[in-house]
Amino acid sequence: MIGAHGVSLQYGGRTLFKDVNVTFTKGNCYGLIGANGTGKSTFLKILAGDIEPNKGEVSITPGERLAVLKQDHFMFDDFIVVDAVLYGHKRLFDIMKEKEALYAKPDFNDEDGIKVSELEAEFAELDGWTAESNAEILLNGLGITNEFHYVPMSELTGNQKVKVLLAQALFGNPDILLLDEPTNHLDLASIKWLENFLMDFENTVIVVSHDRHFLNKVCTHIADIDYGAITMYVGNYDFWYQYTQMTQRQLRDENKRIEQKMKELQEFIQRFSANASKSKQATSRKKLLDNLQMNNIKPSSRKYPFVNFKQDREVGNDVLEVSGISKTIGDRKVLNDVSFIVSPNDKIAFVGDDEIARTTLFKILMGEMEPDEGTFKWGITTSTAYFPKDNSEYFDNFTESLIEWLRPYAKPGEQYDSDIRGWLGRMLFSGEEALKAANVLSGGEKVRCMLCKMMMSGANVLILDEPTNHLDLESITALNEGLCDYKGTLLFDSHDHQFVQTIANRIIEILPNGIIDRRETFDEYIDNEDVDAMRAKLS
């Protein structure tokens, strides 16, 4: 068990937490949610002991071990991969290294023998004899196969390092597990493996994630950060969302009834207070009126942008034809004879383990890269808007305001400041926010600006490469709903399971030796046994 008692934290004049009292118990998985900037990651660091609160304290049941998902991907570059995982149980790791050092001594003596005996006893008590095999099981489950287990961490890719650090946090059955965005950079198979692992995990988990499907799968409770307080709800993310929305509606409806009742009482009092025969009734109603109080509905700090894509003209029957596209980058063939035809109203999710392949395909379709082989042809009625995964070139050297940044993308007649401020306001850049310099925006703010630019285009074909990266849950929800309502054609990729499931009506998986193309939902695609056989042939 781990708990925060009277915890308060201030940065400068800003209060992140005020007198927080919350307890996390064994056997439960807690999703820690809140708008960007509310302090989710900071609270995990307080629980982990990395940040000291201004007031209050954190308590952990004596003898319980806490594990944290590390964020520094270069921290263990000098370690062998398996050793990096074993380091997750620091005491066990230290015993193993101390034993090795003692056994390697050329002048091993009786005192060393006694020490080794003590270490061996503790080693056995900590299940040391199965430690390496357990580490390898975790690595394989996350897609780090045997050939990588005994190589230096420095030789791994960034995504592989993420998986090793996750295996490190999970290793050794910790009593308390703190996970900050564990699904970032994980492929869908690894996310599914992690979901199953956490659903079977019997100790305490506290997780921060922007993946709604993941939160729904693993969470037994939601801990909601809002205005410096943490409120606990039993249930997963969807339950929290539906419950809080319903509660807000009920309070608003109740306030309407109270307001109407107050109006009726006031009218009666005004009408009959001077009437002797009705004065007692007027006095009685005055007491009723004095006792009536409106519910105090405190608005949430969460803000949802308004995402609404409208096409200026409907697309014709011919949208896009891709024929035999291949592309090699460096010494690796990332696209191999890719062919497909896009029809009107298709909403195609591109999936697969190779992110570079998907990004390369989108760049080719948008004319930013030439294929080595093959062709593609857009229909004459198509108009496209593109969301690139890397949007830095749009912002890095632009020192003027967001109004000036967005103005070139406005249609003729809609380039006035008031028009542009209206668009920016939809994406939560109101008032002074619209005067920010474009080159100082956060990752999430840049994404919202790019989406704003796309909404202004009126395009009938949208191409989006990982649009949910950097967005908070509120913005992901708004984008999700906006793309579900969009009447045009859509090509996109995302690691967000719920995003793909609720939007796509067709799945194309890019594999080393071709593609799988199925007109079905994402969940249907995952559960389709025929797909497994096809994937084996094309991998």
Side-chain angles (χ1 to χ4, degrees):
M1 183 182 75
I2 184 170
H5 311 286
V7 165
S8 298
L9 182 68
Q10 285 187 323
Y11 280 132
R14 183 184 173 211
T15 299
L16 268 182
F17 302 105
K18 185 176 180 180
D19 295 326
V20 168
N21 293 283
V22 63
T23 300
F24 305 96
T25 58
K26 182 176 179 177
N28 293 315
C29 179
Y30 299 86
L32 190 63
I33 65 170
N36 275 359
T38 52
K40 300 182 292 293
S41 296
T42 301
F43 190 72
L44 285 188
K45 289 177 180 177
I46 291 173
L47 294 178
D50 296 332
I51 292 178
E52 282 291 326
N54 302 128
K55 285 175 56 181
E57 62 179 9
V58 172
S59 66
I60 298 177
T61 302
E64 291 195 341
R65 186 172 69 85
L66 182 144
V68 181
L69 174 59
K70 302 286 195 305
Q71 300 297 319
D72 184 352
H73 300 165
F74 304 100
M75 184 176 178
F76 297 92
D77 272 3
D78 294 335
F79 282 63
I80 299 299
V81 168
V82 165
D83 279 355
V85 177
L86 295 173
Y87 191 86
H89 194 321
K90 186 62 166 56
R91 178 55 188 158
L92 177 59
F93 181 84
D94 288 344
I95 290 172
M96 294 174 73
K97 294 305 174 185
E98 191 174 356
K99 280 201 315 165
E100 289 175 11
L102 286 169
Y103 282 131
K105 285 181 67 174
D107 56 345
F108 189 91
N109 55 36
D110 291 344
E111 186 178 340
D112 295 329
I114 294 170
K115 182 61 178 175
V116 163
S117 177
E118 293 171 351
L119 290 173
E120 290 287 12
E122 189 175 357
F123 180 74
E125 190 177 326
L126 295 174
D127 294 326
W129 296 112
T130 60
E132 284 197 23
S133 62
N134 289 339
E136 291 179 347
I137 289 169
L138 289 172
L139 288 168
N140 284 321
L142 288 165
I144 304 297
T145 49
N146 293 343
E147 65 266 29
F148 296 105
H149 292 181
Y150 293 91
V151 302
M153 284 280 285
S154 57
E155 294 184 10
L156 301 187
T157 65
N159 287 359
Q160 288 174 321
K161 289 179 182 179
V162 169
K163 293 179 178 181
V164 175
L165 293 181
L166 181 54
Q168 179 191 83
L170 303 179
F171 174 71
N173 195 36
D175 300 290
I176 301 160
L177 184 56
L178 306 183
L179 301 174
D180 192 355
E181 295 292 357
T183 61
N184 277 5
H185 309 293
L186 291 189
D187 55 82
L188 293 166
S190 298
I191 292 173
K192 188 171 183 179
W193 180 91
L194 180 60
E195 288 171 353
N196 291 331
F197 181 94
L198 292 179
M199 284 190 288
D200 292 336
F201 191 70
E202 296 180 348
N203 295 330
T204 306
V205 182
I206 306 170
V207 59
V208 172
S209 176
H210 288 146
D211 188 327
R212 296 161 297 164
H213 181 270
F214 179 75
L215 291 175
N216 282 328
K217 274 282 191 177
V218 305
C219 289
T220 60
H221 295 70
I222 295 294
D224 179 25
I225 303 176
D226 211 357
Y227 291 109
I230 297 181
T231 306
M232 193 73 74
Y233 298 85
V234 177
N236 61 15
Y237 178 80
D238 276 353
F239 174 83
W240 165 84
Y241 182 78
Q242 292 161 9
Y243 175 80
T244 52
Q245 294 295 306
M246 179 189 69
T247 301
Q248 289 285 310
R249 284 196 303 271
Q250 288 176 339
L251 288 173
R252 287 194 294 268
D253 291 345
E254 179 66 17
N255 275 354
K256 286 180 182 178
R257 288 193 291 271
I258 293 171
E259 191 175 17
Q260 180 60 34
K261 183 66 175 176
M262 292 171 75
K263 184 179 178 182
E264 292 170 0
L265 291 171
Q266 287 169 343
E267 289 175 352
F268 186 92
I269 293 165
Q270 290 171 357
R271 186 176 178 186
F272 295 111
S273 59
N275 186 320
S277 64
K278 298 277 190 175
S279 63
K280 285 186 178 180
Q281 293 180 40
T283 301
S284 175
R285 281 165 172 73
K286 178 67 168 62
K287 290 180 180 178
L288 284 174
L289 180 62
D290 291 341
N291 289 328
L292 281 179
Q293 286 188 337
M294 300 280 281
N295 293 304
N296 180 25
I297 305 176
K298 189 174 184 178
S300 172
S301 61
R302 288 179 175 80
K303 294 180 180 178
Y304 291 81
F306 178 72
V307 181
N308 185 28
F309 299 99
K310 289 185 177 179
Q311 46 185 351
D312 290 341
R313 62 178 290 187
E314 290 188 11
V315 74
N317 290 329
D318 298 324
V319 180
L320 172 67
E321 183 174 352
V322 176
S323 301
I325 282 183
S326 296
K327 182 68 178 179
T328 298
I329 297 178
D331 59 355
R332 187 163 71 87
K333 198 166 193 175
V334 295
L335 297 174
N336 187 3
D337 194 24
V338 173
S339 301
F340 58 89
I341 294 173
V342 178
S343 302
N345 302 316
D346 272 351
K347 292 186 175 181
I348 306 173
F350 288 81
V351 301
D353 292 342
D354 192 348
E355 295 180 14
I356 295 174
R358 301 194 296 273
T359 295
T360 301
L361 176 63
F362 290 158
K363 283 185 175 181
I364 289 171
L365 296 180
M366 292 308 299
E368 294 187 359
M369 187 180 286
E370 290 291 326
D372 297 333
E373 300 174 35
T375 61
F376 66 94
K377 182 180 179 182
W378 288 102
I380 58 173
T381 61
T382 59
S383 57
T384 59
Y386 176 45
F387 180 97
K389 182 183 293 186
D390 181 5
N391 55 38
S392 57
E393 67 179 272
Y394 290 86
F395 298 95
D396 284 355
N397 298 315
F398 201 99
T399 58
E400 296 183 69
S401 72
L402 294 186
I403 293 174
E404 296 307 320
W405 182 88
L406 195 60
R407 198 187 304 276
Y409 306 114
K411 295 172 184 174
E414 297 180 2
Q415 295 176 331
Y416 299 105
D417 282 11
S418 58
D419 295 322
I420 296 171
R421 277 185 175 275
W423 284 103
L424 288 169
R426 296 181 185 188
M427 301 308 287
L428 308 181
F429 297 105
S430 57
E432 294 296 314
E433 289 287 306
L435 301 179
K436 275 185 174 180
N439 65 336
V440 301
L441 299 182
S442 68
E445 288 172 329
K446 288 177 182 177
V447 171
R448 284 189 272 127
C449 282
M450 293 297 293
L451 294 174
C452 190
K453 168 181 171 291
M454 294 180 75
M455 288 194 295
M456 293 173 71
S457 71
N460 53 29
V461 180
L462 305 181
I463 297 181
L464 300 104
D465 190 358
E466 293 286 358
T468 56
N469 286 357
H470 306 294
L471 289 182
D472 58 19
L473 281 165
E474 293 71 42
S475 297
I476 292 172
T477 300
L479 177 58
N480 198 154
E481 292 173 354
L483 291 177
C484 284
D485 293 338
Y486 178 56
K487 304 303 181 187
T489 303
L490 179 63
L491 286 67
F492 73 103
D493 68 340
S494 174
H495 282 111
D496 188 308
H497 185 119
Q498 187 165 334
F499 192 81
V500 177
Q501 168 61 18
T502 52
I503 296 171
N505 56 22
R506 181 177 169 189
I507 307 295
I508 293 180
E509 182 172 359
I510 302 176
L511 293 159
N513 297 305
I515 65 169
I516 302 173
D517 187 350
R518 307 286 293 196
R519 192 169 292 279
E520 57 192 6
T521 69
F522 186 50
D523 282 345
E524 289 170 342
Y525 183 81
I526 290 173
D527 294 335
N528 193 325
E529 293 181 1
D530 293 339
V531 167
D532 292 335
M534 295 169 69
R535 188 181 292 116
K537 290 180 181 178
L538 295 171
S539 294

